[in-house]
Amino acid sequence: MSRSLADLGWIDFFADHARPFIAAVSEDAQAELEMARVVGVERAAFQVWTAQGSEEALLAGTLRQSASGPPPQPVIGDWLVVHRLPDGQGLRIVHLLPRRTTLARAVNSGLSEQIIAANVDVVFIVTTPGEDFDLPRLGRYVAAVEMSGARPVVLLNKTDLVDDSTWFVEQIGTLAPDLPVHGVAATEDHGLDAVRSYFQRGVTGALIGSSGVGKSTLTNALLGQEVASTGTVRHSDQQGRHTTTGRTLYPLPAGGLLIDNPGLRDIAVWEATRRPAAFEVVEEAAVDCRFRKCTHTTEPGCAVRRAVQQGTITADTLAAYHHAHGLSAPRPKRRE
């Protein structure tokens, strides 16, 4: 089914960034370029939507490796410039457009970033009034969404399982000023009109939260059809079983788009502008490097790599430092 780019979330922000890239190629090449949005990520390919419909695209060689290391890889929600190859040979991704919002979390003890989704307008943080309810964790979810540039909204799902959900809603409301909180029961379609009101043409929403809080059931209810697998409910805590294993971008019947994410037991806020304390340890050791502009990769007399060998700096810390600074770690030497 074909859709206009505006239906898929295309706005002037992306058009303005695509224009210089397109202008830099020949007119003949321009005729073969199209815009596409990532709706699914597989090991060897990307599922994308173009104005012509759902298609598969592969990364061009220039986006697989560069002199400074692996370039940023597309994630669900990204906008791309793709090259349509002749004779029905498919699409090649030739350019990744800048992200308007980036939902990410810190991993590797806060030293690295894992991008969850891109170009999301509103993120629905799903919890329940059961054993999953954890106010500090919800606060971390809210902080991560605010850091992404998207709007956080908390959905208290499965309110049909308690006599009164007022206390839970009030507690969630203390996490941030003017934080929208909605009590819903996805299996009963209760309260979902409030959720639907956030969507309009081109608006992208995402569901995040722990496994079993009902994100797949919410997805199916909002879409009006069974597209996401739902699990059985455990009698011990009335929580559903984890079912979503990948991220998918769905079009909503009345307009807008929805991303259903796998369950996240917790989320640590990633701040790209915050300098991890472990990086300071690397830079303190770097004072003793033989070369002033040592990259701590292959140079002789590198005090940082020596510290890794001695165990005072972990290999993971140095790898994260290389990643944050766009450097490639040295490849291990082959044994003869």
Side-chain angles (χ1 to χ4, degrees):
M1 177 181 178
S2 62
R3 297 180 177 85
S4 71
L5 292 181
D7 291 334
L8 303 179
W10 183 260
I11 58 176
D12 289 343
F13 173 89
F14 303 113
D16 291 342
H17 284 92
R19 199 171 294 116
F21 178 85
I22 295 173
V25 304
S26 67
E27 290 186 6
D28 290 342
Q30 289 180 17
E32 299 172 341
L33 297 181
E34 299 180 25
M35 305 302 116
R37 193 169 192 193
V38 178
V39 299
V41 179
E42 299 177 358
R43 288 191 176 186
F46 296 84
Q47 295 300 314
V48 302
W49 279 339
T50 67
Q52 298 187 31
S54 178
E55 304 185 64
E56 185 177 274
L58 301 176
L59 278 175
T62 54
L63 293 183
R64 294 180 183 275
Q65 188 69 33
S66 66
S68 59
Q73 299 296 291
V75 300
I76 192 165
D78 266 326
W79 276 99
L80 315 166
V81 180
V82 296
H83 175 212
R84 186 171 295 279
L85 301 175
D87 303 322
Q89 297 181 60
L91 301 175
R92 290 292 183 272
I93 301 169
V94 295
H95 186 58
L96 172 62
L97 293 176
R99 295 161 178 151
R100 192 169 62 84
T101 66
T102 304
L103 180 61
R105 64 174 175 173
V107 294
N108 189 22
S109 300
L111 299 178
S112 302
E113 174 191 35
Q114 180 190 40
I115 299 177
I116 299 171
N119 303 315
V120 178
D121 301 293
V122 55
V123 177
F124 299 97
I125 303 163
V126 186
T127 187
T128 71
E131 290 187 7
D132 176 76
F133 191 81
D134 185 325
L135 201 62
R137 183 177 61 198
L138 287 174
R140 291 190 288 275
Y141 278 120
V142 171
V145 174
E146 290 178 336
M147 188 66 63
S148 79
R151 182 184 184 187
V153 175
V154 179
L155 302 182
L156 181 70
N157 192 24
K158 306 186 181 183
T159 54
D160 54 320
L161 300 181
V162 294
D163 293 332
D164 188 356
S165 60
T166 303
W167 180 85
F168 296 96
V169 172
E170 290 176 348
Q171 290 297 303
I172 296 169
T174 65
L175 295 175
D178 303 319
L179 175 66
V181 184
H182 301 283
V184 302
T187 56
E188 308 293 332
D189 201 22
H190 171 71
L192 295 191
D193 284 343
V195 181
R196 295 184 181 101
S197 68
Y198 288 90
F199 292 94
Q200 55 185 326
R201 186 190 188 196
V203 171
T204 300
L207 298 172
I208 64 172
S210 303
S211 299
V213 294
K215 297 188 300 300
S216 295
T217 303
L218 279 165
T219 296
N220 292 336
L222 293 171
L223 290 173
Q225 58 180 315
E226 296 287 327
V227 297
S229 299
T230 58
T232 57
V233 174
R234 294 189 300 264
H235 292 290
S236 60
D237 57 7
Q238 292 298 305
Q239 292 296 104
R241 300 182 187 277
H242 172 72
T243 53
T244 302
T245 57
R247 300 179 178 93
T248 306
L249 183 62
Y250 300 103
L252 295 175
L257 308 117
L258 179 66
I259 299 173
D260 183 16
N261 281 289
L264 303 173
R265 286 181 299 175
D266 205 341
I267 190 166
V269 180
W270 169 258
E271 298 181 59
T273 57
R274 184 179 66 187
R275 190 172 202 78
F279 286 6
E280 296 178 4
V281 177
V282 173
E283 292 174 351
E284 288 174 2
V287 174
D288 295 325
C289 287
R290 180 184 301 177
F291 299 104
R292 185 169 61 87
K293 294 184 178 181
C294 183
T295 63
H296 324 306
T297 54
T298 59
E299 298 89 344
C302 175
V304 174
R305 286 192 290 117
R306 185 166 60 248
V308 172
Q309 293 173 353
Q310 295 171 348
T312 56
I313 295 176
T314 68
D316 286 344
T317 296
L318 182 55
Y321 181 89
H322 284 144
H323 177 76
H325 291 79
L327 301 171
S328 296
R331 296 181 180 179
K333 294 182 179 179
R334 295 179 58 184
R335 294 183 179 179
E336 299 298 335

